[in-house]
Amino acid sequence: MEKMMEKMMKKTKKKRGIAALLAGMMAVSLAGCMPTAKEGAGAESPQPQAAGAGSDAAAEGTEGAGGDSATAAPAQAEGLQVDTETPITLRMNWWGGDSRHQATLAAIEKFQEKYPNITVAPEYESFTGHEEKVALGVRSGNAADVMQLDWSWVPTYSPDGDNFYDLNKVSDILDLEAYTEKDKAVFTIGGKLNAIPVSNTGRVFCWNKTTFDKIGVEIPTTLEELMAAGKSFEAYDPAYYPLVTKELDRAFLMVYYLQSKYGKDWVKDDVPQYTQEEIAEGFDFLQSLEEGHVIPSLEKIAGDGADLIDTNINWIDGHYAGIFLYDTSVVKHAQAVEDGEFVVGDYVKMGDYNGGFIKVNQAFGISATTEHPAEAAALIQFLVAEEDGVTTLGDTRGVPANQKGLAMLDLSGSQVAEANAKAIAWGGFPMDKTFERSSFTGADGTFYNALQLSSYGQSDSASCAQMVLDGLAEELAR
């Protein structure tokens, strides 16, 4: 890796994406710059490790993430009551697109109507940088009272179950009976329920049908049809592509292809299941998509000047006509399309198996250092299981995992529900806890860097595959 970097640094002219890559690879890690905990804040709780750092406890897996969760008796409700008189401010943070932001702000307004003495201070942004914000907040003892969390962050930042509030203690305010035992087990560490799931999700293929119709190509359902579409799009106009993938999307699409071909988990029992040769095949697959004009290169996408696909003009005007995304992201990408009919497609068959990941999507948790656990629990309960909250949020966070909340929604016309149904029916493979760590697939993570090196032609598939395996071994060892 050091030789690779030295070779790249000798070049006098670096492409913008590679320059950014090198800067990220040489940057000081988040762990080294995270502040220490506030004096007295959660003093009895062990501090979480840096972003992407797991633990022996976290390594036990997602079902019963704490290892002894199956045997530890859950805490009883502590009989806390929601204060309806004293002025209280709750901080709540989340990530998402405009549709989720607007729906959440509207739901917060309705919560404040129910509890006039409680003010909810919203903190929201896109996903980029959100994990670092949560990590810093938890580490410093200054986390928001209510947090939207990715499922893998819970064991990462609370390896002993002490850095998020044990929701069992507020079970007389937050109804836990509306969740399956399996869903609760995902977030139970050492007998402590650190979060509750918002929804379950998988990635699906979605398309701009109008562009396909204009070019005269059927929406693909097999790899052969997808490759043929690339040729047809190129012949029509080289500025058009049937599919667009940024780095994280490519990581998911590559593993989807490998799982479709080989029928194996990416990781099982903390052991990687793919060889260097097989992962190299995945990089060759992505290269074939670029060469076949199925997907634009990462350099081309960087040149578009947009950080997100839904803000990219080529997505908005239909030049990029397909995407492989989580069902929870369907709404914002559909709304961004100005000229075209956005449709949820069938899975593109790439082998004898149903590839792809299925996972708990997001979770709501409460900071272990909150001064208002009862009120924070009341806010979550309002959003997931009370009609004004549930109907206002709708499907902006996916199809609800809370069974009572789900019963309150009419999802008959929902593309999110359509996509979610296809993902659940397809099945796929369970995601391991390391795949979405920022240090692996996040910006400047090992897999992310390998994908850039491959697309920019700076490294061959075998070397990129070894980078991924080395990075994966480091993640699993944490």
Side-chain angles (χ1 to χ4, degrees), residues 96-276:
D98 287 342
S99 56
R100 184 180 299 165
H101 297 333
Q102 293 165 6
T104 307
L105 291 171
I108 285 172
E109 286 187 13
K110 293 186 177 181
F111 174 79
Q112 292 175 151
E113 291 173 4
K114 179 177 180 178
Y115 298 101
N117 64 307
I118 302 177
T119 299
V120 179
E123 304 170 3
Y124 55 93
E125 60 259 327
S126 65
F127 185 76
T128 304
H130 187 81
E131 180 179 357
E132 290 78 5
K133 180 176 180 178
V134 170
L136 288 168
V138 173
R139 172 80 183 204
S140 65
N142 192 37
D145 298 279
V146 175
M147 292 171 277
Q148 177 180 302
L149 304 164
D150 182 81
W151 74 274
S152 64
W153 300 351
V154 177
T156 296
Y157 300 118
S158 185
D160 296 313
D162 293 325
N163 290 310
F164 296 107
Y165 196 88
D166 184 358
L167 300 182
N168 290 309
K169 295 179 179 180
V170 287
S171 59
D172 48 355
I173 299 171
L174 180 60
D175 181 11
L176 302 179
E177 297 301 316
Y179 298 92
T180 67
E181 292 304 314
K182 182 177 180 181
D183 278 349
K184 287 185 285 188
V186 171
F187 299 109
T188 298
I189 303 175
K192 301 158 191 165
L193 182 60
N194 274 209
I196 49 106
V198 176
S199 58
N200 293 285
T201 189
R203 287 199 171 220
V204 294
F205 291 91
C206 294
W207 312 96
N208 185 329
K209 186 176 183 298
T210 301
T211 297
F212 275 86
D213 289 346
K214 178 168 62 176
I215 295 174
V217 176
E218 293 292 324
I219 289 175
T221 59
T222 66
L223 179 56
E224 292 73 21
E225 291 172 357
L226 180 63
M227 298 301 295
K231 295 299 184 184
S232 296
F233 273 61
E234 184 177 27
Y236 178 83
D237 185 338
Y240 282 79
Y241 292 84
L243 192 65
V244 60
T245 55
K246 295 195 69 173
E247 289 86 353
L248 182 60
D249 309 312
R250 285 175 179 235
F252 278 101
L253 185 60
M254 184 176 123
V255 173
Y256 175 87
Y257 167 77
L258 291 174
Q259 290 175 334
S260 297
K261 180 176 181 179
Y262 290 104
K264 299 187 294 187
D265 287 298
W266 175 248
V267 170
K268 186 173 183 179
D269 298 328
D270 288 343
V271 177
Q273 298 297 297
Y274 287 85
T275 65
Q276 180 190 16

Side-chain angles (χ1 to χ4, degrees), residues 296-325:
S297 68
L298 290 177
E299 182 179 19
K300 167 68 171 69
I301 297 172
D304 294 341
D307 291 333
L308 304 171
I309 290 177
D310 61 296
T311 61
N312 189 311
I313 186 60
N314 287 301
W315 173 260
I316 293 169
D317 68 11
H319 280 76
Y320 297 158
I323 192 167
F324 186 54
L325 80 175

Side-chain angles (χ1 to χ4, degrees), residues 410-422:
D410 177 7
L411 297 175
S412 56
S414 166
Q415 284 190 310
V416 174
E418 178 188 0
N420 183 262
K422 288 187 175 183

Side-chain angles (χ1 to χ4, degrees), residues 10 16 57 60 149 201 244 288 302 311 364 376 400 406 437 458:
K10 290 179 182 178
R16 174 171 48 187
E60 295 297 326
L149 304 164
T201 189
V244 60
S288 74
T311 61
F364 282 139
L406 178 59
R437 284 182 182 168
Q458 297 294 323

